[in-house]
Amino acid sequence: MIKVGDTLPDVTLQEYSEVEGNGCSIGPNPVKVKDAVAGKTIALFGLPGAFTPTCSAKHVPGYVQKADELKKAGVDEIWCVSVNDAFVMGAWARDQKTGTKVRMLADGSADFARATGLTLDLGTRGMGLRSTRYSMLVKDGKVASLNVEAPGKFEVSDAETLLGQAKG
């Protein structure tokens, strides 16, 4: 499993864009992790799935609510990464009203989850291989802090915990 001091894996995630922007067409766009984190501080959190109860009721809303405070603490971007496709993550972003506060990034084939060792096998529940619930503060591509939840828990990967680490 990835640990503090490690570099994030050089994989490509997908992000759904609803409006055409600088270098981004409408629809799914590739996000090369190595390039996207270079020179930035990223508050990154991973979770088992879009539209799932804890993820939708607590995890994402906490980061949306704390986005301004995280930015004041030196965070350049907030990323939510989940093993879903870009279309689902785009729909979830609309539902959660993440706007420009949280980038909703799809890890459709679980490449990022596998490469970091942060996987959760939910095959018996019909969901397949997913990401475990975690948060990390990433500085210029290196993990500065890492908070991995115990199975079924939501205690250390919340926005408040990561905000404290960003301020520290």
Side-chain angles (χ1 to χ4, degrees):
M1 179 171 56
I2 199 166
K3 59 189 179 312
V4 171
D6 288 352
T7 300
L8 288 186
D10 187 13
V11 299
T12 300
L13 301 169
Q14 295 287 324
E15 182 175 34
Y16 189 86
S17 296
E18 292 191 317
V19 292
E20 198 162 0
N22 185 19
C24 294
S25 61
I26 295 173
N29 286 276
V31 176
K32 291 180 159 272
V33 172
K34 183 179 178 182
D35 298 339
V37 299
K40 295 179 185 170
T41 297
I42 309 291
L44 188 156
F45 65 104
L47 38 76
F51 296 103
T52 56
T54 301
C55 302
S56 291
K58 296 178 182 178
H59 215 167
V60 174
Y63 280 91
V64 172
Q65 291 165 1
K66 296 287 183 189
D68 292 337
E69 290 178 66
L70 283 159
K71 301 257 169 121
K72 285 178 188 167
V75 170
D76 297 300
E77 296 180 0
I78 303 167
W79 293 9
C80 173
V81 179
S82 183
V83 180
N84 290 106
D85 65 64
F87 297 100
V88 168
M89 292 300 282
W92 198 29
R94 283 189 302 279
D95 179 72
Q96 292 287 307
K97 297 175 178 50
T98 59
T100 59
K101 293 182 177 192
V102 178
R103 293 183 75 179
M104 304 296 276
L105 301 173
D107 184 22
S109 298
D111 292 338
F112 187 83
R114 277 195 209 96
T116 58
L118 295 166
T119 59
L120 178 64
D121 185 353
L122 293 176
T124 59
R125 297 169 93 185
M127 294 173 68
L129 184 68
R130 295 294 178 131
S131 169
T132 194
R133 188 178 305 283
Y134 66 89
S135 67
M136 64 174 78
L137 191 64
V138 178
K139 295 184 177 186
D140 195 26
K142 293 198 181 297
V143 179
S145 64
L146 177 63
N147 313 294
V148 181
E149 296 286 359
K153 299 292 183 183
F154 180 61
E155 300 169 344
V156 299
S157 64
D158 59 305
E160 191 67 40
T161 298
L162 206 58
L163 176 60
Q165 292 168 342
K167 286 179 176 179

